[in-house]
Amino acid sequence: MPAMARRCGALAILSVFPCAQALAQPPRERLPRDLPLYRAAEPAVPVRTDAGVWDGTWYYVHRDGWMAMWIRRAKDAKPEVKLQYLSLIAPEAFETDWNGKATYYLVGQPATFEIALDERTDTTIRGTWKWDVQFEDSGRTETGTFTLYRASDGRQMVLKFDRWERIIRRRDEVKRYSRPPAWTFVKASKRLVLWEEIPF
């Protein structure tokens, strides 16, 4: 047998043998269904901590856009919030005032956003969320209530919706989504820095 043929035959045997050996092994135990691996529908949310302070600049990044939140103490020592949003998939952007309200235009149509704070303590902020964009044959409305708290070493902040609904209207078709999301912000600075200084 030529040397090349013998070499090829040996390689073929070696390449098949590991597969046969693997098939001979007993199957591994399947992971139990109650492990976090199978809870993709319920993303882990960091737990609350008393560490850190509200004051400063926080940011949140997701695949569709960027969001920044500035928090400062008002004269009555209660936190105030200002929020800015930039979509990465549509020409949509806005910035609220320190009352949490913004009016902006999307494709020539007026849109409104409001984040209002109802209950404010050193460790927890609760409030309401309303976002409304309407066109003649389509529209989007988001409403909800949320809890805001610090997490990890105090340099994370969770915005967890307790109740949330998004209504999407396209002509005569209306779709409703009601699964409350939770977003984890990261602290960019203890100061109120400019949007351009945030490390998105």
Side-chain angles (χ1 to χ4, degrees):
M1 181 183 294
M4 181 62 72
R6 286 198 302 272
R7 189 177 297 114
C8 291
L11 290 174
I13 292 172
L14 289 173
S15 64
V16 170
F17 178 74
C19 298
Q21 188 179 20
L23 290 174
Q25 293 178 352
R28 295 181 180 179
E29 293 182 6
R30 293 185 177 181
L31 294 174
R33 289 288 178 177
D34 59 348
L35 286 182
L37 176 64
Y38 291 94
R39 293 179 182 171
E42 300 177 7
V45 179
V47 296
R48 187 179 67 82
T49 182
D50 294 339
V53 294
W54 290 120
D55 304 64
T57 304
W58 306 81
Y59 69 96
Y60 172 69
V61 176
H62 59 101
R63 66 179 184 179
D64 295 337
W66 297 344
M67 193 179 300
M69 191 179 296
W70 293 270
I71 301 180
R72 71 180 184 184
R73 298 282 178 164
K75 293 180 180 179
D76 58 2
K78 292 183 177 180
E80 289 182 331
V81 167
K82 183 168 74 166
L83 187 142
Q84 186 167 343
Y85 172 77
L86 172 66
S87 172
L88 300 178
I89 60 173
E92 186 170 14
F94 65 82
E95 179 180 0
T96 73
D97 56 21
W98 283 105
N99 293 318
K101 296 181 180 180
T103 299
Y104 64 101
Y105 286 86
L106 179 61
V107 196
Q109 295 298 315
T112 59
F113 174 85
E114 181 178 2
I115 179 172
L117 306 184
D118 301 327
E119 179 185 334
R120 295 169 281 188
T121 69
D122 288 338
T123 57
T124 304
I125 296 175
R126 289 186 172 87
T128 57
W129 175 281
K130 186 173 182 181
W131 195 352
D132 189 56
V133 181
Q134 298 298 327
F135 301 97
E136 184 177 346
D137 60 351
S138 63
R140 182 189 75 226
T141 302
E142 284 186 14
T143 56
T145 60
F146 63 86
T147 300
L148 198 65
Y149 62 84
R150 297 188 303 277
S152 185
D153 58 353
R155 296 192 61 82
Q156 288 186 334
M157 181 178 70
V158 176
L159 193 158
K160 184 178 181 181
F161 282 92
D162 308 303
R163 180 186 59 79
W164 178 84
E165 183 179 47
R166 172 184 286 176
I167 302 173
I168 303 293
R169 177 178 59 86
R170 291 188 178 91
R171 296 184 176 85
D172 296 331
E173 182 183 10
V174 176
K175 293 185 178 181
R176 296 176 181 270
Y177 306 88
S178 58
R179 183 173 182 178
W183 306 325
T184 301
F185 287 71
V186 176
K187 195 162 199 175
S189 175
K190 294 180 180 180
R191 300 178 297 108
L192 304 179
V193 302
L194 298 174
W195 171 272
E196 293 78 11
E197 299 178 84
I198 300 174
F200 286 115

